[in-house]
Amino acid sequence: MPSVVVRPALLTDVLALGRLAGQLVAYHHQLDPLRFMTMPNVEEGYGRFLGSQIDNPKALVLAAVAEDGAVVGYAYATLEGRDFNALLEAHGALQDVLVDPAVRRRGIGRQLVQEVCDRLRALGAPRVVLSTATENVHAQAMFSQLGFRKTMIEMTREST
Ligand SMILES: CC(C)(COP(=O)(O)OP(=O)(O)OC[C@H]1O[C@@H](n2cnc3c(N)ncnc32)[C@H](O)[C@@H]1OP(=O)(O)O)[C@@H](O)C(=O)NCCC(=O)NCCS
């Protein structure tokens, strides 16, 4: 199976990152359009945002790159301080992970998340926390495989 390299994202990856991030937004929005927002020109805006995080010392933007140079997945994570509202000490937060549907189930998601966790640990994060949509059982299976335990359930009610 062709190998994929996970490396820090470059500014030249921004278009590809935006396309992938747009899929992440669309996936969540279709799950529950009231809870998960979307926005116009989401790919361009998200790509620009991820590009702006490349040099942020409290953020990680990683790209999974195929042998032909195509960016086939990405992950975005942040270093967070103590959060009294969430009863969370300083920690790493995995914000995004997505793999191109054409190359899923080849271990790339696992590779991305493991690399995020290794890098967050090297930056001093004692643990990594993430949120995942209730219905996203495939992602949950991957996170469980990688040692994540279930710790919170988010609930939403409309005010109407
Ligand atoms: C979740 C996601 C990143 C997984 O990427 P991937 O490269 O396909 O994942 P991997 O090949 O590393 O799979 C890791 C494990 O996840 C589970 N898994 C992933 N996709 C699965 C599927 N379609 N059906 C069943 N289990 C699945 C399996 O346990 C798998 O291990 P196995 O192949 O040894 O059985 C990918 O499906 C994706 O991009 N989904 C849309 C975005 C998303 O949900 N992101 C997470 C938001 S919290």
Side-chain angles (χ1 to χ4, degrees), residues 14-69:
V14 156
L15 272 182
L17 295 175
R19 275 195 295 274
L20 294 169
Q23 293 181 40
L24 191 66
V25 173
Y27 168 68
H28 285 92
H29 185 66
Q30 57 84 30
L31 283 179
D32 183 339
L34 296 176
R35 162 59 181 85
F36 295 104
M37 64 191 258
T38 185
M39 59 225 78
N41 304 319
V42 60
E43 296 190 354
E44 188 190 333
Y46 216 137
R48 201 175 328 113
F49 168 72
L50 290 170
S52 77
Q53 296 305 295
I54 286 175
D55 288 331
N56 179 351
K58 295 199 164 184
L60 289 172
V61 187
L62 301 181
V65 184
E67 281 174 351
D68 65 359

Side-chain angles (χ1 to χ4, degrees), residues 24 27-28 97-99 103-111 131-133 136 138-139 141-143 145:
L24 191 66
Y27 168 68
H28 285 92
V97 58
L98 183 126
V99 173
V103 293
R104 282 186 189 162
R105 213 68 200 271
R106 298 183 192 181
I108 300 170
R110 209 163 26 221
Q111 208 178 324
S131 295
T132 168
N136 197 354
H138 296 152
M142 176 180 72
F143 296 133
Q145 262 186 5

Side-chain angles (χ1 to χ4, degrees), residues 123-151:
L123 290 169
R127 66 190 54 78
V128 180
V129 178
L130 62 85
S131 295
T132 168
T134 313
E135 291 160 73
N136 197 354
V137 292
H138 296 152
Q140 289 160 26
M142 176 180 72
F143 296 133
S144 296
Q145 262 186 5
L146 288 165
F148 286 83
R149 61 188 185 276
K150 291 186 176 174
T151 40

